[in-house]
Amino acid sequence: MISLLAAPPAPKAGSVSSPPPATAQAPGPTAAQLQMAERLVGPALTEGHAWARLAELTDGIGPRLSGSEGAEAAVQWAQRSFKADGVKVWLEPVKVPHWVRGEEHAELLASEHFRARPLTVMALGGSTGTPSEGITADVVEVSSLEELASLGERVKGRIVFFNHDMKEAEDYGRFSVLRGLGPSAASKAGAVGALVRSLATASLSTPHTGMTRFEDGITPIPAASVTVEGAEMLHRMLASGGSARVHLVLGCKTLPDADSFNVVAEVKGREKPEEIVLLGAHLDSWDVGEGAHDDGTGVAMVMEAARLLARQKPAPRRTVRVVLFMNEENGLRGGKAYAEAHAAELPHHVAAIEMDSGGGRPLGVAFRAGEGAPALVQPWLSPLVALGAAKIVSGEAGGADLSPLGPAQVPMVGVKVDSSRYFDVHHTHADTLDKVDPEALAKSTAALAWTAYALAEMPGLLARPTAPPKVPAMFAPPAVATPAPGAPAAGSVKPSTH
Amino acid sequence: MISLLAAPPAPKAGSVSSPPPATAQAPGPTAAQLQMAERLVGPALTEGHAWARLAELTDGIGPRLSGSEGAEAAVQWAQRSFKADGVKVWLEPVKVPHWVRGEEHAELLASEHFRARPLTVMALGGSTGTPSEGITADVVEVSSLEELASLGERVKGRIVFFNHDMKEAEDYGRFSVLRGLGPSAASKAGAVGALVRSLATASLSTPHTGMTRFEDGITPIPAASVTVEGAEMLHRMLASGGSARVHLVLGCKTLPDADSFNVVAEVKGREKPEEIVLLGAHLDSWDVGEGAHDDGTGVAMVMEAARLLARQKPAPRRTVRVVLFMNEENGLRGGKAYAEAHAAELPHHVAAIEMDSGGGRPLGVAFRAGEGAPALVQPWLSPLVALGAAKIVSGEAGGADLSPLGPAQVPMVGVKVDSSRYFDVHHTHADTLDKVDPEALAKSTAALAWTAYALAEMPGLLARPTAPPKVPAMFAPPAVATPAPGAPAAGSVKPSTH
């Protein structure tokens, strides 16, 4: 993460990217507006309310994959909680995929130099099941879709093993395409199954699930993640010149689409209620662990921002709307449904923030907007100096749920958090409440609440971006994913993390 | 780990414990003896032979719990390998327990504030199975055997949950008693099952198995480990004033004892062949993962030390004997069988080293011996300076397999390795080859080979200790486990790590 502008002293010309002159003197908050900072940041840091909500959602409800009872319970809980917090709330219907996990196990069969042993697997969302007796096939290893394509006939009847060398969080975008599109490509090439190395920055025999998507017209095949340990073992077996034969049993299946909801809440603006600052997070999670970092922390942060804003007088100039999206993990139906249902309003969406990178400490603010966004917002960040969050930082703003707002050129703002350990637990049984640091969660909640207020209160508006945000590779052809020419000088496009 | 004597300069009086005057001028190696260092340390560091053997054992054979086909395959492999290495080898029969894991799963049932969810469990070795439909009971949490005793009638019909706050490797000894003796105590108090928080220094939803022992006359009950995450969740449920009810299914059982073997190999001494320097490690492992650090690395190190010593001319003055013990993990039958079969020889066992703390880098040498051991050995450690291993360190020497040699007052020498991350993977599916650092393994192998040579070659003998070494709590009443008065000033007694 590279800081482009240090706060509060003005940057020296040349050393950092200078804001355009037109907006260089954007006004900061008035004394009255600054008083609001203590009424937002103070309680966020001291009341522990976001943590309490997070515990209710993770321990109380637990996993909440779309279509599950947990997801339905989460919708009801969120609606109840917003009401209890004094925030206006309603449900908006979303039809969601309903994929369910079943029995799952695999065995690495004996070969010349290896005795048989179990291979820890976890079905990928969207995978089809195997016959009840499982499938058995030789494994062929590839490390890219290009390498898969180069193998031609040699893939027929095999299980394709997608290996990679993910080491840090930043590698996720590069390798998630193997999980997202690899099994479909393997099926197209004649494979009978796919194993994907978990997208992990640490492992203690910990499989990571996640979505895989089969192209229209391609027959789904059984697809599962293997642990880092299992992947390393498969690689050693194959690299030693031997063969690897796997028996795979997956009981997962896709049921008919289910009825669910986005949970929408808002704090009406006092002057320009039709102008909307959207705060998003996703209420669904994978079906393993309890979705603490993904995305319980995001849900807790946006709910707490709404609660704190709702009790302030005067309300901010513009409306702050919170959307708890359903089905971010395996379909993005909530994001799409919101964009469709609110199409007429989207030109009045003046900023959108998605919290979906875990509950780490706050790092600063990023933009996907037209020119001048940093200069407009920087003067408003001074209350966040002591939280270490008063910086404009590079990196992508937006998120998977917000990607359907792209064509409407909604300005995206990122309240960035430290995600360096996010992929230790992402999509695993280990994504549990004990992994969340209450201090970091409170700080990021405070940063979000104040940033939301600033965007809803400041006199100026962010210029709209001239190109849509990155759409996750799974949901659109790569050609769509070009960064906007007018976007800030981000080092690299932040990968989607669903 | 505190260094008591820095090498090679002589320690200042007062700043460290001074060696007794009688042995203060013990002779170091001659030039010819020092030449042997390069012929042992050099190949250990450059040939990668220990690593290759480790890969054969872990990847090739895999897990090898006593009584399993893997254990039998390991015996055959070890015998073949010693022969191939030019080391005399034979098998000594050991009757071993034959415990097998079965289906295992658990569910945390719904309560007022918590929805139901799976609880990751792993049966403890020695546990009995549940009926096929499982058992269901309320959970009561304790953090010590004393607290359990204080609960009286309240334990009846419950599942006792042993919680603790293990944070670092040094905590293992303190808390392993909960796993080793807790379930038996729970049964005695009327409990129907036991759950023990994994003895772990890190967790990504990673259960740790290990031995539990039921006292004679106590009915075994189903006993399983839970992950750190599961333990934290149970604790939160109970701490919030709610109840926690668990459904537990364990299919484990104990079969009739099986035939197995210790694998014994030796390099005959040139002058005093009847005097034996014993190098031990254990060939069995738990049935999960592939026993890489526990104790594949120990096996690889002692085998490589034997191979390197066997090809030297002249042979060392005394005999170096390697014992690959069977059944360290769940019965110690190999250690006991060796002590019985070789009872007549034990007075001539002049030193014994057990490598069973993982494959970390070498840290130095520790003793459980009579007075003067550090002064006798220190002059021989100079070839290990560049490996960082030329220090006399505090901490326990010996090991579980060597504990039956205690009554014969065999001097124990510890070639200590860095075990700080050992309990991240100990007794888990994650104890796999990828967790071993080839550099650290090579260095510790070199340190072991040279130390073994030094003990077999030096003119003097270590004085015998005046009290037996610590016997693991599971195998003897705590009263036996008093450190020897004559032992070096160790900060704390190194826990057994089986």
Side-chain angles (χ1 to χ4, degrees):
Chain A
M1 207 57 83
I2 300 156
S3 169
L4 294 182
L5 288 174
K12 287 183 196 162
S15 70
V16 290
S17 66
S18 306
T23 52
Q25 296 166 30
T30 63
Q33 288 164 333
L34 270 178
Q35 273 185 358
M36 194 64 80
E38 66 199 58
R39 289 151 63 186
L40 294 169
V41 171
L45 291 179
T46 60
E47 293 184 1
H49 206 270
W51 178 268
R53 285 283 184 238
L54 177 65
E56 291 168 9
L57 180 61
T58 55
D59 275 358
I61 292 170
R64 43 199 183 276
L65 185 60
S66 292
S68 69
E69 287 180 18
E72 175 59 22
V75 166
Q76 300 305 322
W77 164 83
Q79 191 178 25
R80 270 199 318 276
S81 301
F82 275 122
K83 278 184 191 160
D85 289 348
V87 184
K88 182 185 169 194
V89 58
W90 66 94
L91 305 184
E92 299 188 354
V94 185
K95 205 78 164 174
V96 294
H98 190 187
W99 178 87
V100 292
R101 189 177 302 281
E103 177 190 17
E104 48 192 21
H105 56 91
E107 192 183 22
L108 200 45
L109 301 183
S111 63
E112 194 188 351
H113 298 296
F114 293 79
R115 283 172 42 80
R117 73 198 55 187
L119 188 66
T120 301
V121 294
M122 185 180 271
L124 297 178
S127 170
T128 187
T130 62
S132 59
E133 73 276 15
I135 58 170
T136 302
D138 284 331
V139 172
V140 57
E141 175 179 343
V142 301
S143 57
S144 67
L145 297 181
E146 294 68 29
E147 188 181 356
L148 173 66
S150 76
L151 292 182
E153 288 293 307
R154 280 181 288 164
V155 174
K156 276 221 162 72
R158 304 288 194 93
I159 292 173
V160 176
F161 161 42
F162 293 92
N163 200 4
H164 57 80
D165 63 346
M166 179 167 178
K167 287 190 177 60
E168 49 186 20
E170 288 66 26
D171 294 335
Y172 184 79
R174 192 152 49 106
F175 296 125
S176 61
V177 66
L178 297 179
R179 187 197 72 211
L181 301 177
S184 179
S187 176
K188 200 170 183 174
V192 298
L195 295 173
V196 183
R197 181 185 176 122
S198 287
L199 293 160
T201 43
S203 184
L204 291 168
S205 191
T206 314
H208 292 230
T209 189
M211 185 61 184
T212 195
R213 178 170 169 266
F214 292 92
E215 264 182 75
D216 291 344
I218 299 297
T219 308
I221 54 174
S225 66
V226 292
T227 61
V228 168
E229 289 86 351
E232 292 281 327
M233 187 177 300
L234 277 170
H235 177 76
R236 291 194 300 268
M237 285 181 77
L238 294 164
S240 71
S243 63
R245 200 165 167 79
V246 163
H247 176 231
L248 175 66
V249 176
L250 297 182
C252 53
K253 59 188 170 187
T254 301
L255 304 176
D257 282 1
D259 290 315
S260 191
F261 302 93
N262 287 331
V263 180
V264 188
E266 71 181 21
V267 177
K268 212 65 166 176
R270 71 172 190 278
E271 272 185 30
K272 294 177 175 279
E274 75 286 1
E275 290 185 359
I276 293 165
V277 173
L278 189 157
L279 311 184
H282 65 86
L283 194 51
D284 64 310
S285 75
W286 277 103
D287 59 333
V288 294
E290 47 183 28
H293 276 293
D294 189 15
D295 182 24
T297 50
V299 168
M301 287 189 241
V302 299
M303 288 179 79
E304 179 61 356
R307 184 184 78 97
L308 294 173
L309 287 166
R311 69 185 193 185
Q312 307 308 332
K313 301 257 184 258
R317 195 184 306 267
R318 303 181 186 90
T319 292
V320 174
R321 180 179 291 174
V322 169
V323 185
L324 304 183
F325 293 97
M326 182 51 63
N327 189 228
E328 190 270 350
E329 293 295 5
N330 62 333
L332 215 56
R333 299 278 186 88
K336 291 172 184 169
Y338 180 86
E340 282 170 25
H342 296 270
E345 278 184 330
L346 297 188
H348 307 292
H349 279 54
V350 300
I353 298 175
E354 180 158 0
M355 301 306 294
D356 185 21
S357 299
R361 70 188 169 86
L363 299 177
V365 178
F367 301 96
R368 173 173 289 275
E371 281 195 27
L376 198 67
V377 172
Q378 182 72 68
W380 286 74
L381 296 184
S382 61
L384 303 183
V385 167
L387 301 179
K391 304 180 198 69
I392 305 293
V393 297
S394 67
E396 179 67 351
D401 289 310
L402 301 185
S403 58
L405 308 185
Q409 296 174 292
V410 175
M412 302 288 171
V413 180
V415 175
K416 310 297 278 186
V417 301
D418 178 3
S419 300
S420 55
R421 302 319 316 162
Y422 183 55
F423 292 98
D424 291 2
V425 300
H426 179 251
H427 296 185
T428 75
H429 280 295
D431 187 7
T432 46
L433 185 60
D434 55 292
K435 302 302 189 310
V436 181
D437 173 13
E439 178 184 337
L441 178 69
K443 286 180 174 171
S444 283
T445 302
L448 174 68
W450 173 252
T451 306
Y453 175 78
L455 293 167
E457 182 66 17
M458 59 178 49
L461 287 178
L462 297 174
R464 297 180 89 78
T466 52
K470 184 175 170 61
V471 175
M474 250 178 295
F475 301 106
V480 179
T482 326
S492 65
V493 174
K494 163 82 171 52
S496 151
T497 56
H498 71 108
Chain B
M1 209 58 83
I2 299 154
S3 169
L4 293 182
L5 289 174
K12 286 181 196 163
S15 69
V16 289
S17 65
S18 304
T23 52
Q25 294 166 33
T30 64
Q33 287 164 333
L34 271 178
Q35 273 184 359
M36 194 63 81
E38 66 198 57
R39 289 150 63 187
L40 294 169
V41 172
L45 292 178
T46 60
E47 291 183 1
H49 206 271
W51 178 266
R53 285 283 184 238
L54 177 64
E56 289 168 10
L57 180 61
T58 55
D59 275 0
I61 292 170
R64 42 199 184 276
L65 186 60
S66 292
S68 69
E69 288 181 18
E72 175 58 23
V75 167
Q76 300 303 322
W77 164 84
Q79 190 178 26
R80 271 200 319 275
S81 300
F82 276 122
K83 279 184 189 161
D85 288 349
V87 184
K88 182 185 168 193
V89 58
W90 65 93
L91 304 184
E92 300 188 354
V94 186
K95 206 76 164 175
V96 294
H98 190 187
W99 178 86
V100 293
R101 190 177 300 282
E103 177 191 16
E104 49 192 19
H105 56 91
E107 192 182 22
L108 200 44
L109 301 183
S111 64
E112 194 188 351
H113 298 298
F114 293 79
R115 282 172 44 80
R117 72 198 57 188
L119 188 65
T120 301
V121 294
M122 185 180 271
L124 297 179
S127 170
T128 187
T130 62
S132 59
E133 72 277 15
I135 59 170
T136 302
D138 284 332
V139 172
V140 57
E141 176 179 343
V142 301
S143 58
S144 68
L145 297 182
E146 294 69 28
E147 188 181 356
L148 173 65
S150 75
L151 291 182
E153 288 293 305
R154 279 181 289 164
V155 173
K156 276 222 162 70
R158 304 288 194 94
I159 291 173
V160 176
F161 160 43
F162 293 92
N163 200 5
H164 58 80
D165 63 345
M166 180 168 178
K167 289 190 175 60
E168 50 187 21
E170 287 66 26
D171 295 335
Y172 184 78
R174 191 151 50 105
F175 297 124
S176 61
V177 66
L178 296 179
R179 188 198 69 211
L181 301 178
S184 180
S187 176
K188 201 171 182 174
V192 297
L195 295 173
V196 183
R197 182 185 175 123
S198 288
L199 294 161
T201 42
S203 183
L204 290 168
S205 190
T206 315
H208 292 229
T209 189
M211 185 59 182
T212 196
R213 177 170 170 265
F214 291 91
E215 265 184 72
D216 291 345
I218 298 297
T219 307
I221 54 174
S225 67
V226 293
T227 61
V228 169
E229 289 85 352
E232 292 280 329
M233 188 176 301
L234 277 170
H235 176 75
R236 291 192 300 267
M237 285 180 77
L238 293 164
S240 71
S243 62
R245 198 166 168 80
V246 163
H247 176 231
L248 175 67
V249 177
L250 298 183
C252 53
K253 58 187 170 190
T254 301
L255 304 176
D257 282 1
D259 291 316
S260 190
F261 301 92
N262 287 332
V263 181
V264 188
E266 70 181 23
V267 178
K268 212 65 168 175
R270 70 171 189 278
E271 272 185 29
K272 294 180 175 277
E274 74 287 359
E275 290 185 358
I276 292 166
V277 173
L278 190 157
L279 311 185
H282 65 87
L283 195 50
D284 63 310
S285 75
W286 278 104
D287 59 332
V288 295
E290 48 182 28
H293 276 292
D294 188 16
D295 183 23
T297 50
V299 168
M301 286 189 241
V302 299
M303 289 180 79
E304 179 62 355
R307 185 184 77 97
L308 294 174
L309 287 166
R311 69 183 193 187
Q312 308 307 332
K313 300 258 183 263
R317 195 183 307 267
R318 304 180 184 91
T319 291
V320 174
R321 180 180 290 173
V322 169
V323 184
L324 304 182
F325 293 97
M326 182 51 63
N327 190 228
E328 191 272 349
E329 294 294 4
N330 61 332
L332 215 57
R333 299 277 186 89
K336 292 171 183 168
Y338 180 85
E340 282 170 26
H342 296 270
E345 277 184 328
L346 297 187
H348 306 291
H349 279 54
V350 300
I353 299 175
E354 179 157 0
M355 301 306 295
D356 186 21
S357 300
R361 70 189 169 85
L363 298 177
V365 177
F367 300 97
R368 173 175 287 275
E371 281 196 25
L376 198 67
V377 173
Q378 182 72 69
W380 286 74
L381 296 184
S382 61
L384 304 183
V385 168
L387 301 180
K391 301 179 199 72
I392 306 291
V393 296
S394 67
E396 179 67 351
D401 290 310
L402 301 185
S403 59
L405 308 185
Q409 297 175 290
V410 175
M412 302 288 169
V413 181
V415 175
K416 309 296 279 186
V417 302
D418 178 4
S419 300
S420 55
R421 302 320 315 165
Y422 183 54
F423 292 98
D424 290 3
V425 301
H426 179 251
H427 296 185
T428 74
H429 280 296
D431 186 8
T432 46
L433 185 59
D434 54 293
K435 302 301 189 309
V436 181
D437 173 14
E439 179 184 336
L441 178 70
K443 285 180 174 171
S444 283
T445 302
L448 173 68
W450 173 252
T451 306
Y453 174 79
L455 293 167
E457 182 67 17
M458 58 177 49
L461 286 178
L462 297 175
R464 297 180 89 79
T466 53
K470 183 175 169 61
V471 174
M474 250 178 296
F475 301 107
V480 179
T482 326
S492 65
V493 174
K494 163 81 170 54
S496 150
T497 57
H498 71 109

